[in-house]
């Protein structure tokens, strides 16, 4: 506690101790890495919006097409488990894709409550205020917090059947073993008959995948560099972002797409408490994984974590799947 107070006195005003600890631990690891969850400050959110709109980043369009064009089929599968139910969305964001589903479920007179879960209180208060206006008749109860804590809370609030949406290929941002653990924990938090819909980005032409993470306008590069800028802004470090190169690679054998920032020279980055991070020339920071799966792998994944795969929804190119599993 005393150490923490000292740190608070040294660092900029909005000092987040956990952020500092994770950054220092990551940069002292071998190889160096940073946790991709820290990409998403206000600046990072804006850059991610730009990524989603950029030519090469196909993932959002693919999943949007599924939610726009197969809405009735999605509703049918979801409603088959019986009513009433709670529709829970992990990491709801602005709920653009799920709004199509919500409207259709209301049209079908489904008896359900929408429980968006997000770590951001801003996201939750905005959804609580705006969604009932854009989706008349919607019952909504936003939950702000960590996914599994809020899933437990959702189970306390009602005993209704649960349908959990985990979209956007967010599962790809976990290494495969962590994603398996995540699915197992999800299963443990659900009852038999509950359902999950998980968005997976599928393996495809390696050039298509690589381009999505190395766009020609350099937005993904800025998205990565923004984390170094954030560390400068919030933790008072002195990264010179011009001396880091964005490098993305995709391995078609393993399906892992990884991004790195590579130091263009030998250098030392310092923090206000005197902590120093040394970089050799060409030393890299592993920034993010975006894992791609084959359809068979998604099925194995379901079975290994105790779910039964019941339906798959593909976009017209067959690049993305929203897989529906029953607990
Ligand atoms: C949020 N997530 C699914 C994105 C992805 O495709 O891995 C994050 C991202 N990183 C770079 N571009 C997009």
């Amino acid at each position: 506690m005393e150490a923490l107070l000292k740190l608070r006195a040294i660092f900029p005003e909005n000092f987040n101790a956990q952020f500092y600890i994770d950054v220092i631990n990551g940069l002292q690891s071998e190889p160096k890495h940073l946790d991709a969850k820290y990409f998403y400050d206000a600046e990072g959110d804006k850059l991610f919006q730009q990524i989603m709109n950029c030519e090469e980043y196909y993932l959002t369009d693919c999943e949007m097409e599924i939610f726009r064009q197969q809405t009735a089929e999605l509703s049918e599968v979801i409603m088959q488990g019986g009513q009433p139910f709670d529709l829970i969305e992990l990491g709801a964001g602005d709920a653009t894709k799920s709004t199509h589903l919500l409207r259709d479920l209301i049209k079908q007179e489904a008896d359900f409550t929408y429980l968006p879960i997000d770590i951001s209180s801003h996201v939750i208060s905005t959804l609580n205020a705006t969604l009932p206006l854009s989706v008349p008749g919607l019952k909504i109860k936003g939950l702000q917090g960590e996914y599994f804590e809020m899933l437990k809370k959702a189970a306390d609030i009602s005993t209704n059947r649960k349908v959990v949406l985990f979209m956007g290929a967010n599962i790809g941002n976990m290494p495969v073993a962590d994603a398996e653990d995540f699915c197992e924990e999800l299963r443990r938090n659900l009852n038999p008959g509950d359902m999950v819909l998980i968005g997976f980005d599928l393996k495809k032409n390696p050039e298509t995948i690589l381009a999505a993470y190395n766009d020609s306008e350099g937005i993904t590069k800025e998205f990565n560099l923004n984390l170094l800028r954030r560390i400068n802004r919030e933790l008072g470090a002195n990264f010179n972002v011009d001396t880091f190169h964005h490098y993305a690679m995709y391995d078609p054998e393993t399906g892992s797409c990884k991004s790195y920032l590579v130091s263009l020279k030998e250098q030392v980055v310092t923090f206000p408490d005197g902590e120093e991070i040394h970089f050799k020339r060409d030393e890299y920071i592993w920034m993010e994984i975006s894992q791609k799966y084959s359809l068979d792998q998604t099925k194995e994944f379901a079975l290994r974590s105790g779910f039964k795969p019941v339906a798959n929804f593909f976009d017209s190119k067959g690049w993305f799947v929203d897989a529906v599993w029953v607990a």
Side-chain angles (χ1 to χ4, degrees), residues 40 48 51 57 59 168-170 173 212-213 220 223 288-290 292:
Y40 303 92
F48 186 52
I51 288 177
Y57 193 76
L59 287 80
N170 285 321
N173 295 132
Y213 295 88
T220 313
F223 181 62
E288 191 183 38
I289 184 166
S290 299
K292 311 303 167 192

Side-chain angles (χ1 to χ4, degrees), residues 202-219:
L202 293 171
K203 288 183 174 175
K204 60 186 67 62
N205 187 316
E207 298 287 2
T208 307
I209 292 177
L210 188 58
Y213 295 88
N214 195 23
D215 63 281
S216 49
E217 286 173 74
I219 305 167

